[in-house]
Amino acid sequence: MHRPAGDLIEREDQLRTLRGLLSGAVAGSGRTVVLGGASGNGKSVLLDRVRQLAGEAGADVATAIAARAEQSLPLGVVGQLAEAAGLGRSDAPGPSVGGLLDAAMSTEWEPSAHGASCPQAPARMLHGLCMAFLRRAEQRPIVLCVDDVHHADAYSMQFLSYLSRRVRTTPLLMVLTELPQLSPVHPAQYVELLHGSMPIALPPLTRAGVARLAQRLPATVEPGLDGHLHAFTGGNPRLAAALVEDMTRRAEGPYPVARPAIGEAFIEAVRACLFRSPPPARPIAHALAVTGGPADAPVLARLLDLSEEMVNWGLLALRRVGLLTGDTFRDPRIRMSVLAGAPAQERVELHRRLAVLGHATGESPVVVARHLLGADGVEGAWVAPTLRDAASQALAEGRVKEAVSFLDSAGASEPDARRRAEATLALTRAEWQFNPADAARRLPELLAAVRHGQLVRRQAAALVPYLLWHGLIDDAVAVVNALTSAGPLDDESAAALGAPLLLLTYLFPGHAQRVDRPRRELAARGILPASGGPLPAAAALTALAARSTHAEVVAATEQVVRNTRLDHEALGPISVVMLASVLTDRLGDPGTNDYPPLHPGTGRRPPTAQALLSAMAAEGALRRGDLAATVGHAGRGLDLLPAAGWGIAVGGPLSNLVLAATAGERDDEATAHLAVAVPAAMFDTPFGLKYLHARGRHHLRTGCVRAALVDLQACGRLTAAWDIDQPELVPWRTELARAQLALGRPERCRELALEQLDRLPEHNARERGAALWALATASEPADRLPLLRQAVALLRSGADVSTGGHAAATAAGSHGVGGPHAARPRWPESAGAPDRRDATPRPRCGPADEQPPAADAAEPGPDVATMLEGLTEAERRVATLAADGHTNRAIAARLFVTVSTVEQHLTRVYRKLRVNSRGDLLLRLGREATRGRKRGQVSAA
């Protein structure tokens, strides 16, 4: 039992009274005192202090502790007092107390029922015992201390009452401690004992008293902590001292203590307070803790089989202890402390009773389901439906983990195989929101349920998107064919199958012919998209596949985004819109007002939905040229959802990370992303196309030209085979042109670039600019500058402003030095990454990827030397490096000067040469600006 020593704060008045009573008793005027107060208010500690004072005053002390376990032992408390006072010895004066006690033990008596009176102890026996103690007091003053006198047996209470009436002229002081009792075990004796005694109340500590306790903390205390401690404990000395003890253990260094922190001492103090409280208090506290919220007296009475009067008394006792304020715990941590002290079997039984009672009284399914989880095997036809209803409500409110636990329990408690399969399907949907990898564990069971006809067609159709997500294309095809070969589809089943079938067609175009018959059947029936469901998403992709205009595609896909509800039913729509976002230029941008549903931080969304939206945001950021945002969004998506949970869609975020790292010249980072394991089935999807394109670009940058050639040619073969060879999907021709140029094949480079330009729509300025750039680098010097200027103009006019601006600066420099092996403008990072110019593929992949010799470059303009002569040597060095694409910080590091010095030199250079930007500087300086570069290098990644 936790009992802090010396906790007598704010007990000065009580001690003063006890000192006076003790002095009177020593002088021959005895009294009986009862120290009363709630459990933990310091009665036992104050009693110890009285014993110490008695010894200092020259009085003897005899102590007894009453206990529930000894209430059936006649005169058990008297025996403890007699032994402590030395009256049990055979040489003690007067009649033998031991004999009287032995006689009491041999007297025939029956334990009385709770609340009933017991037989009166023989008067001769009580008188003999009383006279023995009075004679003992005449020899030397004595203080009799009885702790927890409310637990004393009936005969001991009769003795104490008998003696209390005879101490007024005797040097004997009786000090008793008691807890207020609504229904004492021996009411008549209890009331009689208290009637002739002097009460001394021990109230809770005030805020000032708790502040004195807080002074024991080793660290400084923030203002207001005493108020927090007082509100947390209700001023209960035991609880407050235990809390301070826990906080002392956790205090570290000089940091001030600001908030209460509970630990083992506080939990033990709560347990002790409940154990020593009146009988109804502990079960009521446990019931409130298990309930988890406020419960009125009638509910608690039914739950615990108590009268409302007893419940109200127990609630009052808990308020006095300081655990409750009103009918609720003062703090959730107090509830957890009470719960920790409740026996496991008692908690299980309370959960069972609460579940049954909640169902009978029409409580919310979620509340009932929480108790069903805590109970042990509640039976009833209502259990599984209640758990399913609670799961639906939890999903609607975004509590996915809780919904999963409800559905898992519903499946375990469902005896019917069909209903169990339905519960497993619902559980798969819920788990997919949190981690699709967990949901994949249940797919074999669901496939078996489809084979055995335990899922209706509409439910079996809902399984297809999950199979596709994890690349189980053969199983998905088998399910679709099984559903359509089992007889004519009713309207509901046909509508349910439409979205999964279109999803299969567009996610796995190489397998579309395997479901051609079901697809034709649904087309013949005129299945139309339902507003807000997955069919509008598929319709958007259908428009793309039919090569509709860009405006129609964007409008259709935007409608999907606005109408799609991002919850556990949205696997199909989200996946399709992700794919559509790859094919359009406007999706995936969380920074615009047009797409509030796409903002990853909007609302309470489960991790999978947040991860998917982050991947779409990364797509939009990459298209804007914001590499830092691309890395941030894609990285967040993989943090929210491990790669194993992404299934075939892992190619989306990984590709964007590789592209961003490659454009930012962080080769090791790109290599690390490419080392992440991906499912083989991903390469049967457009996500695989995007991945191959990103990997090919990385190979091209790092000098593995032939490896890049393999990946990019694979892109071309797949897009042709799937009949989705659209330049918006992956610009493989532009990258393949660069690879051909790096292998010394300028003619093939020009062919690919021109073919890309022929296929690109006029609105796609960014990709047209990139293709023109590739064409320019493979063209003759006389034709190069006009092509570069067109490329720069397109890049500047596109949405990718940062790329266009940088490309403009790079264009003029490449005019003089790029030769046929310069490739395309690089993407800078928008958020402060190093702006390194050199993007030359490096020969890291062996002899097969050796670079061809460079062609001759154009000669500098005739006035370059004159312009450079007008600059100082320092200005010339800065101008040359700036024209070569180095940032101010990189120039400063290279020349060992400050960034400010570089800026000052550039300001003077711009003024002398009458230019306003790095692009103008390049146009004025021409080849002299880049004379330090190696011949034949590719100018950008």
Side-chain angles (χ1 to χ4, degrees), residues 394-532:
L395 285 173
E397 296 172 357
R399 300 191 307 276
V400 181
K401 279 189 175 181
E402 189 173 44
V404 168
S405 62
F406 292 158
L407 290 169
D408 202 7
S409 182
S413 61
E414 183 58 73
D416 181 72
R418 184 180 296 275
R419 292 184 179 275
R420 190 162 56 248
E422 293 173 356
T424 303
L425 178 59
L427 180 58
T428 301
R429 287 173 168 173
E431 284 186 322
W432 184 86
Q433 293 189 71
F434 195 74
N435 188 354
D438 291 339
R441 297 180 292 110
R442 307 186 188 277
L443 294 180
E445 180 183 350
L446 290 171
L447 286 169
V450 172
R451 287 194 298 269
H452 292 96
Q454 294 168 352
L455 291 173
V456 300
R457 289 179 173 181
R458 174 179 52 81
Q459 296 166 336
L463 179 61
V464 173
Y466 299 98
L467 296 171
L468 295 176
W469 179 269
H470 292 287
L472 303 175
I473 181 62
D474 292 336
D475 291 326
V477 170
V479 170
V480 170
N481 288 327
L483 294 179
T484 54
S485 62
L489 290 171
D490 58 78
D491 291 342
E492 184 182 14
S493 299
L497 185 59
L501 192 56
L502 284 171
L503 189 60
L504 185 154
T505 301
Y506 291 110
L507 285 180
F508 289 88
H511 297 267
Q513 75 281 359
R514 300 174 64 185
V515 292
D516 189 56
R517 184 183 60 81
R519 182 155 46 88
R520 287 200 311 269
E521 178 183 344
L522 292 184
R525 297 180 62 169
I527 301 298
L528 298 176
S531 177

Side-chain angles (χ1 to χ4, degrees), residues 731-754:
W732 63 271
R733 285 183 179 82
T734 303
E735 303 303 332
L736 185 57
R738 295 178 57 214
Q740 296 288 4
L741 183 63
L743 290 173
R745 304 165 185 168
E747 192 63 34
R748 181 57 180 150
C749 172
R750 288 194 294 273
E751 291 175 2
L752 287 167
L754 288 171

